[in-house]
Amino acid sequence: TMIKKDLKNKRLEQVRDVFIFCCYTGFSYQDLYNFKHDALTRGIDGEYWLSTKRHKTGVKESLPLLPVALDIVMKYQNDERCIKRDKLLPVLTNQCYNAYLKEIATLCGINKKITSHIARHTFATTITLANGVPIETVSTMLGHNSIRTTQIYAKVVEQKVSEDMKGLPEKLFGTNQKNDENKETG
């Protein structure tokens, strides 16, 4: 909803872009705020990556950029404010950022409290874990000290577990378990 919303205000558009960027990268507000222009590098695979030491833990956080996130970086590559401040993106103070996110949510008809941490949560659950990225990889990309921290996010993806398990009886036994159960009870 946010991506598709035509925001007629440049300030709100920038805040939305930063939020969407975080949804597709999982970087915390503070780490995003600290990114300099040169944070964008080519990884071992030749793709664009962002890498930093987490402000909170000092643990390395590194990941290849998904196309949506890369498009946002490229959009602000020549932005005067970003160049002047040597910033990757036009990130406001956390207080302003969250206040404008609230305004954007209202304009989009979203009744949930939207904060910078919601974007990180979205990355961990909806973008990665729900799409089969192993929890160990997600933990590394989020810069967690322990996989136990990442497991908090994993509780949200029971639907993914259900979907992944649906095909297992066929693979193991060459049959559809639900159909066999229905035959027994029918």
Side-chain angles (χ1 to χ4, degrees):
T1 302
M2 269 191 196
I3 290 173
K4 294 178 182 175
K5 182 70 175 175
D6 182 21
L7 299 170
K8 308 223 184 285
N9 181 304
K10 183 179 178 183
R11 161 186 54 91
L12 293 180
E13 182 182 333
Q14 289 177 340
V15 169
R16 185 256 322 267
D17 289 346
V18 169
F19 180 79
I20 298 301
F21 178 86
C22 289
C23 286
Y24 282 90
T25 63
F27 285 107
S28 70
Y29 167 82
Q30 191 61 53
D31 292 327
L32 182 67
Y33 186 83
N34 291 334
F35 274 132
K36 302 261 184 237
H37 233 119
D38 63 358
L40 186 66
T41 61
R42 291 284 185 163
I44 59 169
D45 56 4
E47 300 296 327
Y48 284 106
W49 284 59
L50 282 177
S51 184
T52 187
K53 283 195 175 185
R54 287 218 51 215
H55 177 78
K56 183 177 177 181
T57 62
V59 174
K60 185 179 178 184
E61 184 175 14
S62 186
L63 68 130
L65 289 181
L66 292 168
V68 172
L70 183 58
D71 289 346
I72 291 170
V73 168
M74 294 305 170
K75 178 178 179 179
Y76 294 100
Q77 184 176 348
N78 296 313
D79 181 83
E80 287 180 36
R81 184 171 155 228
C82 291
I83 292 170
K84 183 178 177 182
R85 295 181 177 177
D86 191 24
K87 297 290 183 183
L88 187 65
L89 295 171
V91 183
L92 302 173
T93 65
N94 201 16
Q95 185 178 4
C96 288
Y97 177 71
N98 284 322
Y100 295 151
L101 277 177
K102 184 177 180 180
E103 188 176 339
I104 293 167
T106 301
L107 290 170
C108 292
I110 299 170
N111 296 320
K112 183 177 183 177
K113 184 178 180 186
I114 305 293
T115 64
S116 56
H117 190 72
I118 293 291
R120 189 165 166 82
H121 183 83
T122 298
F123 175 75
T125 58
T126 308
I127 302 298
T128 57
L129 291 172
N131 286 297
V133 176
I135 195 167
E136 298 83 3
T137 303
V138 175
S139 185
T140 299
M141 289 188 296
L142 291 174
H144 287 159
N145 280 324
S146 164
I147 200 162
R148 286 180 295 156
T149 307
T150 314
Q151 288 171 335
I152 295 166
Y153 297 111
K155 292 177 184 175
V156 179
V157 294
E158 287 181 11
Q159 179 64 35
K160 176 67 178 152
V161 172
S162 173
E163 290 170 13
D164 289 347
M165 291 299 290
K166 281 182 183 172
L168 191 56
E170 177 70 27
K171 288 179 183 175
L172 292 175
F173 308 109
T175 182
N176 185 329
Q177 187 179 18
K178 285 193 177 182
N179 287 339
D180 289 346
E181 290 171 4
N182 289 338
K183 288 177 188 173
E184 291 174 15
T185 60

